[in-house]
Amino acid sequence: MASGISLKELAAELKLAPSTVSRALNDSYEISEATKKKVISMAEKLNYHANPFARSLRENKSKTIAVIIPERINSFFAQVMDGIEEVAQEHGYHLLIYNTHEDLEREMKIVNLLLNGRADAIAMSVTSQTKDSSHLQKLHNRGLPIIFFDRVSPEIPTTKFITNDYESTFEGTKHLIQQGCKKIAFLTLGKDLSISKERQRGFQDAITSEGWELQPSMIVQCCHEEETNVKLIEELLLSPNRPDGILSSVEKLAFATYHAVKRTDLRIPYDLKLISFSNASTASLLNPALTTITQPALTIGYECAKLLIKKLTKPNHYDLIDQVITIPSKITIRESTCQD
Amino acid sequence: MASGISLKELAAELKLAPSTVSRALNDSYEISEATKKKVISMAEKLNYHANPFARSLRENKSKTIAVIIPERINSFFAQVMDGIEEVAQEHGYHLLIYNTHEDLEREMKIVNLLLNGRADAIAMSVTSQTKDSSHLQKLHNRGLPIIFFDRVSPEIPTTKFITNDYESTFEGTKHLIQQGCKKIAFLTLGKDLSISKERQRGFQDAITSEGWELQPSMIVQCCHEEETNVKLIEELLLSPNRPDGILSSVEKLAFATYHAVKRTDLRIPYDLKLISFSNASTASLLNPALTTITQPALTIGYECAKLLIKKLTKPNHYDLIDQVITIPSKITIRESTCQD
DNA sequence: TTGTATGCGTTATCAA
DNA sequence: TTGATAACGCATACAA
C-alpha cells in the first residue's frame, strides 16, 4: 500500500518539530495562528492524513462503534443501523458491522473478536438463540461500553432500548379480536428472548382478558429456515383446529404466513386475519396490505448512538445505567385485518 | 476503558522476553513447542488479546475492508453486503460500512475519510449523482485497492462487478412487448450512472428493434424523494399519452409505481404491466406479485470480497485489473406482467 | 510559542 | 531457542 506521508515528514518539509505540527493540526491554543495556517496549507498540499492506528494506539480509542445485528435483510435492523450511522457520522465515528445470522456460535466469535478493543463501544441485538450471556458478560466486565436494542440481554446491567412489546402485542391481539377473530395464533422465534416473552405475555393477557382459554397449540415456535416455517404455518392452517387470526411477532414470519396461505385455499382477511411486527415499507403493497406494528427503528438507532457517544466523549458525566428505555410502536391497520 | 493486559505484561508474568511471547503467539517456527504451550495457556488464563492498533501500525494493515453503499434499505445492497461479510469473516477481515444515502457530498466525505488508510481496501457502489470521479481517483492513486459493484465508476481502472444490465433490460422490455404492451415507459435514476445508461440502452434497443419509435416522454427520470417519484409516476399514468407497460430499472421505483397506481383507477396488470429490477424477497407477495429482474447479489458480494482478499494477501499474484466482470441476472415472471 | 524526548503495543532485526 | 533493541506514527509532558 502506497500510504501517505507521516507527521515527521510533514514537519521536515515545514522545518518545524513534529510536535508543533501535531499541535497545529489539532488546533492547539499554544500554536500561533500563522504557524497553524502554514501547517494546514502544507498538510493539504502534501495530502497529509494522520495515521488512525498510531492515533488509536496513542489515545487508546478508535473512534469506532461496533454494531452487531442478527439479520441484515430486515427492515427494522436496517433502519436502526441507518439511525446509528447518522449520529455516528456526525460525531466522526466509524461503524464496524457484524451480522450474526441468528447464529449463537457466530455471535460468540464476534463478541470475542471485540474483546481486543477494536471498537470503543458496542450496540447490539442478540440472536434469538442467545440464552446464556456469559460471552456478553465478559465484554461488559472489560469495561467496554455496550448497549442493547430490541433483542436485549437482561442479565447485563446496561442501558437497553426497546419498544413497548407487551402493550403493542396486547393491543394487536385485541384488534384481531375486535375484528371478529375467535381463535388466534401467535408466531414467535427464540422463546428465551426477553422481547419474545414480553410479546407472548401481551398476547396471552389479551386472550385471557376475554375470558378465553389459552390453547398451547396456538403458540407457534418458528425457526430461521424460511421453508420450514412456511410448512409449519401451512400445517397450522390446514389443521381442524386452525386459527382465524395470527399475530406474528417477527416480520419474516408474516411473510412466511403469506406464503403458507397461498398454498391453501384460505384468503386473508376473510378466513384469516394477520397482524405483524414489521417495519417494511412495502407492507402497504402486499396482497393484501399488511396490518403492522411498526417499531420506532430510526429513533432507536439515534438514541443508541447518542447515548454511546455521550458515554465515550464524557465518560464521567454519563453512565450506561441499568435501565430499559421504551419507545412506543405504532399500529397501522390495513386490509389484512379488515372486517369481512 | 479498562483494556486488557499487554504483551509486555504477559511476558513479565511468564518471565520471558516480549519478543519471545510475540513469536510464540504467532506460532513462529523458532519457538519450542513447550514454550508455545506455556505462553498460549498463560495468554488464555490472563485473557490476553493483541492490540489491533499496535499491530496495524506495525504491519501497516488493518484487516479491515470498507464497504460503501448508496442505500441500506435495499434488498440488493443488503444481500451484497451479506456476501462480502461472509467471505470477509472467513478470512478474519472486519467490515467498515458507510451509507452515502445517494448523496454525492457524503460520498466525497467518506471517501476522503478513507484516504488515511483506515481500511485496507474498498468495495463500493457509487451514488446515482456521481459523475465526476476525481475523489475516487484520489483513492485509487493512493494505491488503495478499490473495486466497484453495480454502480461502477468507469474511469477508475480497476475490477468491477455488474450484472448483464443491457441484456436483462432488453429481455425485460421484450417480455412486456410479448405480453401485449404497446407503449412502455422506462423509470430510471441518475442518468450519469453507467449501469443506468446500459439499462436504458437495452430498453431503447428493444423498443426500436420492434420498429417502434422511441418517445422521449417515456424515459422517466426519477429522484430519491419517494413522494416526488410517486407523483411523477401518477402524472405519467394520468396523461393522455400514458404507457401500458413500465420497466423500472430500480427497485424503489417499482414500489413508487405501486403507490402511484393505487391513486388512479388503473389496475396492474390489466391496464399497466410492470417489471422491475429487484431482489426483494417479498416480490411474490405484492399485489399483484411483481415480475422481477433479480441480480446475483450474494454472488457479487462473494466475488468482490474474494478478489479483494486475494489482492490483499497475495499482492504480487493478483491484480485488480481494469475489467468488468458480468454475472447474469434472472427474470422471474409473475402476475404484474400477466397477459389479460 | 516552539522543540525534545518518551511511550502507546506490536513485530522484526540482530545478537546471544 | 531466546533476548535486547528499534521502529511503526502519533500526542503529550516537559524543557526552552
Side-chain angles (χ1 to χ4, degrees):
Chain A
M1 194 195 8
S3 70
I5 69 165
S6 71
L7 188 67
K8 218 196 294 186
E9 293 167 301
L10 176 59
E13 198 68 36
L14 282 156
K15 299 195 197 314
L16 283 172
S19 57
T20 306
V21 176
S22 170
R23 278 179 285 222
L25 290 172
N26 290 319
D27 202 26
S28 160
Y29 67 96
E30 1 175 48
I31 301 294
S32 75
E33 284 306 316
T35 308
K36 278 186 191 170
K37 280 232 170 77
K38 259 193 304 194
V39 169
I40 290 169
S41 85
M42 180 62 85
E44 268 177 18
K45 187 180 152 206
L46 298 187
N47 236 289
Y48 169 78
H49 293 272
N51 181 312
F53 307 117
R55 185 172 277 170
S56 289
L57 179 59
R58 182 59 228 247
E59 307 205 305
N60 197 28
K61 62 185 178 197
S62 59
K63 288 286 240 175
T64 300
I65 294 172
V67 182
I68 307 179
I69 54 167
E71 199 180 31
R72 179 172 276 121
I73 303 181
N74 174 311
S75 53
F76 171 73
F77 291 117
Q79 284 172 45
V80 172
M81 282 168 48
D82 266 350
I84 293 177
E85 184 172 13
E86 188 69 34
V87 176
Q89 273 189 16
E90 242 169 61
H91 291 82
Y93 276 79
H94 299 256
L95 252 39
L96 232 25
I97 300 198
Y98 302 88
N99 180 355
T100 61
H101 293 268
E102 297 279 16
D103 180 349
L104 179 56
E105 293 265 336
R106 244 161 137 151
E107 180 177 279
M108 288 171 40
K109 241 185 239 163
I110 292 164
V111 161
N112 283 327
L113 236 41
L114 291 172
L115 241 30
N116 65 13
R118 185 176 286 268
D120 293 340
I122 299 178
M124 80 179 283
S125 210
V126 305
T127 77
S128 55
Q129 297 173 47
T130 305
K131 189 174 184 173
D132 176 62
S133 64
S134 54
H135 57 302
L136 305 172
Q137 196 71 58
K138 236 181 358 187
L139 219 46
H140 185 256
N141 289 346
R142 259 193 175 238
L144 199 64
I146 178 168
I147 63 180
F148 295 93
F149 55 91
D150 197 50
R151 312 260 201 97
V152 308
S153 176
E155 293 88 17
I156 314 294
T158 184
T159 307
K160 295 131 192 166
F161 291 90
I162 60 169
T163 192
N164 55 349
D165 294 291
Y166 175 85
E167 293 80 2
S168 307
T169 321
F170 186 91
E171 277 183 48
T173 310
K174 282 292 190 185
H175 169 64
L176 286 176
I177 293 169
Q178 276 158 22
Q179 298 304 97
C181 292
K182 297 292 178 203
K183 179 176 295 181
I184 305 175
F186 177 78
L187 307 184
T188 183
L189 213 64
K191 59 180 179 302
D192 300 317
L193 236 41
S194 66
I195 61 163
S196 300
K197 287 182 199 159
E198 280 305 285
R199 291 178 186 180
Q200 185 167 332
R201 205 165 60 79
F203 169 74
Q204 291 177 345
D205 283 3
I207 296 292
T208 52
S209 76
E210 294 289 319
W212 296 358
E213 205 176 334
L214 197 76
Q215 293 188 257
S217 66
M218 290 295 112
I219 304 289
V220 184
Q221 190 66 45
C222 299
C223 71
H224 293 102
E225 223 286 296
E226 163 93 352
E227 179 54 24
T228 312
N229 290 334
V230 174
K231 280 203 183 115
L232 195 67
I233 298 167
E234 185 187 358
E235 276 171 35
L236 176 73
L237 295 177
L238 294 178
S239 78
N241 194 31
R242 76 165 180 83
D244 57 2
I246 285 185
L247 191 149
S248 158
S249 67
V250 181
E251 179 176 280
K252 64 154 72 156
L253 299 181
F255 298 152
T257 302
Y258 275 97
H259 280 120
V261 166
K262 278 183 149 187
R263 298 189 186 173
T264 69
D265 46 14
L266 300 176
R267 293 151 310 149
I268 305 175
Y270 312 106
D271 308 304
L272 179 75
K273 302 196 198 307
L274 176 64
I275 179 172
S276 178
F277 275 84
S278 169
N279 281 59
S281 63
T282 51
S284 65
L285 304 180
L286 296 180
N287 187 13
L290 176 63
T291 293
T292 54
I293 301 172
T294 304
Q295 296 180 262
L298 208 56
T299 306
I300 288 180
Y302 291 151
E303 296 303 320
C304 282
K306 279 201 275 186
L307 181 60
L308 239 26
I309 289 173
K310 268 194 212 158
K311 172 67 183 166
L312 290 175
T313 50
K314 306 205 171 110
N316 303 320
H317 298 283
Y318 291 97
D319 245 318
L320 306 182
I321 54 177
D322 186 8
Q323 67 175 330
V324 175
I325 297 176
T326 303
I327 309 177
S329 285
K330 207 179 120 229
I331 296 188
T332 304
I333 295 171
R334 300 199 182 84
E335 298 165 38
S336 71
T337 55
C338 262
Q339 202 88 251
D340 305 339
Chain B
M1 189 192 14
S3 70
I5 69 164
S6 72
L7 188 68
K8 219 195 292 186
E9 293 167 301
L10 176 59
E13 199 67 36
L14 282 157
K15 300 193 196 312
L16 283 172
S19 55
T20 306
V21 175
S22 170
R23 278 178 287 217
L25 290 173
N26 290 317
D27 202 25
S28 160
Y29 67 96
E30 2 175 48
I31 301 294
S32 75
E33 282 308 315
T35 307
K36 279 187 193 170
K37 279 234 171 78
K38 259 196 301 197
V39 169
I40 290 169
S41 84
M42 181 62 85
E44 269 177 19
K45 186 180 153 208
L46 299 187
N47 236 289
Y48 168 77
H49 293 273
N51 181 312
F53 307 116
R55 185 172 277 168
S56 289
L57 178 59
R58 186 59 232 245
E59 308 204 307
N60 197 27
K61 62 184 179 196
S62 60
K63 289 285 240 176
T64 300
I65 294 173
V67 182
I68 307 179
I69 53 168
E71 197 180 33
R72 181 173 276 123
I73 304 182
N74 174 311
S75 54
F76 171 73
F77 292 117
Q79 284 172 45
V80 172
M81 281 167 49
D82 266 349
I84 293 177
E85 184 172 12
E86 188 70 33
V87 176
Q89 272 189 16
E90 239 169 63
H91 292 81
Y93 277 80
H94 298 256
L95 252 40
L96 233 24
I97 300 197
Y98 302 88
N99 180 355
T100 60
H101 293 268
E102 297 279 15
D103 179 351
L104 180 55
E105 293 266 335
R106 240 159 139 153
E107 179 177 281
M108 286 169 43
K109 241 184 241 162
I110 291 164
V111 160
N112 282 329
L113 237 42
L114 292 172
L115 241 30
N116 65 13
R118 186 177 284 269
D120 294 339
I122 299 178
M124 81 180 284
S125 211
V126 305
T127 78
S128 55
Q129 296 174 47
T130 305
K131 189 173 183 171
D132 176 63
S133 63
S134 54
H135 57 301
L136 304 172
Q137 196 71 57
K138 233 177 7 184
L139 219 47
H140 186 254
N141 289 347
R142 258 192 176 238
L144 198 65
I146 179 169
I147 63 180
F148 295 93
F149 55 92
D150 196 49
R151 313 261 202 96
V152 308
S153 176
E155 293 89 17
I156 314 294
T158 183
T159 306
K160 295 130 192 166
F161 291 92
I162 60 168
T163 191
N164 55 349
D165 294 291
Y166 174 86
E167 293 80 3
S168 307
T169 322
F170 186 91
E171 276 183 49
T173 310
K174 282 291 190 185
H175 169 63
L176 287 176
I177 294 169
Q178 278 159 19
Q179 297 305 98
C181 292
K182 297 293 179 203
K183 179 175 297 181
I184 304 176
F186 177 77
L187 307 185
T188 184
L189 211 66
K191 58 182 181 300
D192 300 317
L193 236 41
S194 67
I195 61 163
S196 299
K197 287 182 198 160
E198 280 305 285
R199 291 178 188 182
Q200 185 168 334
R201 205 166 60 79
F203 169 74
Q204 291 178 344
D205 282 4
I207 296 293
T208 52
S209 77
E210 294 289 319
W212 296 358
E213 205 177 332
L214 198 74
Q215 294 188 253
S217 66
M218 290 295 112
I219 305 289
V220 184
Q221 190 67 44
C222 300
C223 71
H224 293 102
E225 223 286 297
E226 164 92 351
E227 178 55 24
T228 312
N229 289 334
V230 174
K231 280 201 182 116
L232 194 69
I233 297 167
E234 186 188 357
E235 276 172 34
L236 176 74
L237 295 177
L238 294 176
S239 78
N241 193 31
R242 77 166 180 83
D244 57 1
I246 286 185
L247 190 150
S248 159
S249 68
V250 182
E251 181 177 279
K252 62 153 75 156
L253 299 181
F255 297 152
T257 302
Y258 275 97
H259 281 120
V261 166
K262 279 182 149 189
R263 298 189 187 174
T264 70
D265 46 13
L266 300 176
R267 293 152 311 150
I268 305 175
Y270 312 106
D271 308 304
L272 178 75
K273 300 193 200 310
L274 176 64
I275 179 172
S276 179
F277 276 84
S278 169
N279 281 59
S281 63
T282 51
S284 66
L285 304 179
L286 297 180
N287 186 15
L290 176 64
T291 293
T292 55
I293 302 172
T294 304
Q295 295 180 263
L298 208 57
T299 306
I300 288 180
Y302 291 152
E303 296 304 320
C304 282
K306 279 199 275 186
L307 181 60
L308 239 26
I309 289 173
K310 267 192 212 160
K311 172 66 184 167
L312 290 176
T313 51
K314 306 203 172 114
N316 304 319
H317 298 283
Y318 292 97
D319 248 315
L320 306 181
I321 53 178
D322 187 9
Q323 66 174 330
V324 175
I325 297 177
T326 302
I327 309 177
S329 285
K330 207 181 118 225
I331 295 187
T332 304
I333 295 171
R334 300 200 182 84
E335 298 165 36
S336 71
T337 56
C338 260
Q339 201 88 250
D340 305 340

